[in-house]
Amino acid sequence: MTRKIRLGAFLPGGGQHIASWRHPDQPADGATSLDFHKQLARTAERGLFDAYFLADNLAIGFGGAREGGNARVAGFEPVTLFSALSTVTTNLGFIATASTTYEEPYNTARKFASLDLISGGRAGWNVVTTTGDPTAQNFNRDTQLPHASRYRRAAEHVDVVKKLWDSFEDDAFLRDKESGVFYEPEKLHESDHRGEHFQVRGPLNVPRSPQGHPVIVQAGQSDDGRGLAAATAEVIFTAHQHIETAQEFYRDIKARARGLGREPGHILVMPGVAPFVGRTQAEAQEKYDRLTSLILEEDGVGLLNGLTGGTLDLRGYDVDGPLPPAPPTEGMKSRQALIRQIADENNFSIRQLYQWVATARGHFTIVGTPETIVDTLQEWFENEAADGFNILPPWLPTALDDFVDLVIPELQRRGLFRTAYEGRTLRENLGLPFPVNRWAGARTGLQAAE
């Protein structure tokens, strides 16, 4: 099968851009409107996207919360939301975020296995380690766990969840009314896990889905994050400003996976892209300028306070001056470094920096026509920088409609993107293998797909 670009749609109802809720096209209550999320899901499916993706915070989100101008202050828990959206879609996958730092493996395994069954095999788990002291303070801690500790816990957490997802073999349920045999007991297995962070007996009380188990997604870019992704992830979301850094990340992940005995082609690297699409370059630039003009200064400063680690309060600085040095924290180390890189490379003032990252918080922003946007996506796709992209429409629904109506047809015209879904499950559409149940595989001699 000819290799095709894979596409995720990152669609928070309140919009990606921190000022998107102020745009005339964006519903002001979109973050907590189920009807609006249904509309977005149907549009993404019309555009043949692989999956609807949502990040999640376990505390008040990036910047603006205290000032009152940021729509990211509140929203839905994503697994709950996706359970509802799965009933109004047929092929679209749903990738929800859950924290390995503040959830127990059994709870995580159970809710994602349930979403996978409800959706008919269209669920994915975005594995995050969760940063920030404000989140820690919501979960019986004063400060966040150290970076390395979070990743050790995450690796064990994922291992336990995967064991739990294999509790029932695929053909365990007979449901034979005549004989009275509901399931075959010998095809139900305890996990019996005892490790550094978790003791979990199992088994899980949810059966496997048509895709075996949810797709595992990860987004870390630090060395620890890359190690976790190479060992466990099937899809990796990543943030880059240049093709050269994207290529370095792509090649490193594939090499690490190969070194761990995994098939590199079974790990899809999908950088984030925030597109402002216009039929002309001038139209695209006007869309960017209009949204930028809606940023409240205090929200922009609050955003940078969060992205630079939370130890530097920029409210006392001249916003038309340079970004001052900020010490690294135990938070998102790679994102802190990326924000500093963007400021230094472009010689941005504080104001210019928050205007640039307000759209996508460090992901690549493209302002252009469908042809120029596809030129960029094609270059990255064909030169070992990406297997696909996580699209972050800056405001909704218009920017999503623009991408579906203008960019998707150009991708299809060039033979880079599907014209119909390949299957019903998320794995089928992503081209990922069915995971062999470890117990059935051991009995038959099959290896679990990697």
Side-chain angles (χ1 to χ4, degrees), residues 8-132:
F10 189 172
L11 306 173
Q16 282 292 344
H17 194 282
I18 63 169
S20 57
W21 73 274
R22 301 184 67 204
H23 195 285
D25 295 349
Q26 171 96 35
D29 66 345
T32 50
S33 169
L34 178 58
D35 286 341
F36 186 53
H37 283 88
K38 289 179 180 179
Q39 175 186 341
L40 298 177
R42 291 183 177 116
T43 301
E45 187 161 77
R46 176 170 65 84
L48 304 177
F49 276 85
D50 289 278
Y52 188 146
F53 169 76
L54 279 179
D56 192 33
N57 291 314
L58 297 175
I60 294 297
F62 286 132
R66 300 305 179 194
E67 292 79 8
N70 193 334
R72 298 173 68 85
V73 70
F76 291 123
E77 189 283 313
V79 173
T80 306
L81 173 64
F82 284 158
S83 295
L85 298 185
S86 70
T87 66
V88 298
T89 53
T90 303
N91 300 94
L92 183 68
F94 296 99
I95 298 173
T97 296
S99 172
T100 58
T101 303
Y102 298 111
E103 291 196 14
E104 289 293 316
Y106 199 93
N107 298 110
T108 302
R110 191 167 188 252
K111 71 179 181 180
F112 277 93
S114 296
L115 175 61
D116 212 27
L117 276 181
I118 290 168
S119 64
R122 293 185 282 142
W125 171 30
N126 180 40
V127 178
V128 299
T129 60
T130 308
T131 65

Side-chain angles (χ1 to χ4, degrees), residues 239-243 245 338 341-342 345 356 362-365 380:
H240 297 279
Q241 294 289 306
H242 307 290
I243 188 173
T245 62
L338 180 59
Q341 173 195 325
I342 294 170
E345 286 184 350
W356 185 247
H363 290 282
F364 189 32
T365 298
W380 286 41

Side-chain angles (χ1 to χ4, degrees), residues 30 79 142 169 208 265 314 331:
V79 173
D142 292 325
E169 296 182 33
R208 277 163 65 97
L314 295 171

Side-chain angles (χ1 to χ4, degrees), residues 5-11 40-53 91-94 270 273 275 389-393 399-405 407-408 411-412 417-418 421-422 426 429-430:
I5 286 177
R6 309 300 178 184
L7 290 178
F10 189 172
L11 306 173
L40 298 177
R42 291 183 177 116
T43 301
E45 187 161 77
R46 176 170 65 84
L48 304 177
F49 276 85
D50 289 278
Y52 188 146
F53 169 76
N91 300 94
L92 183 68
F94 296 99
M270 299 175 64
V273 174
F389 302 91
N390 201 24
I391 303 302
L392 296 80
L400 176 61
D401 291 333
D402 286 346
F403 194 89
V404 169
D405 295 335
V407 178
I408 292 292
L411 286 167
Q412 292 169 330
F417 189 63
R418 63 167 65 92
Y421 282 107
E422 294 83 2
L426 180 56
N429 291 321
L430 289 172

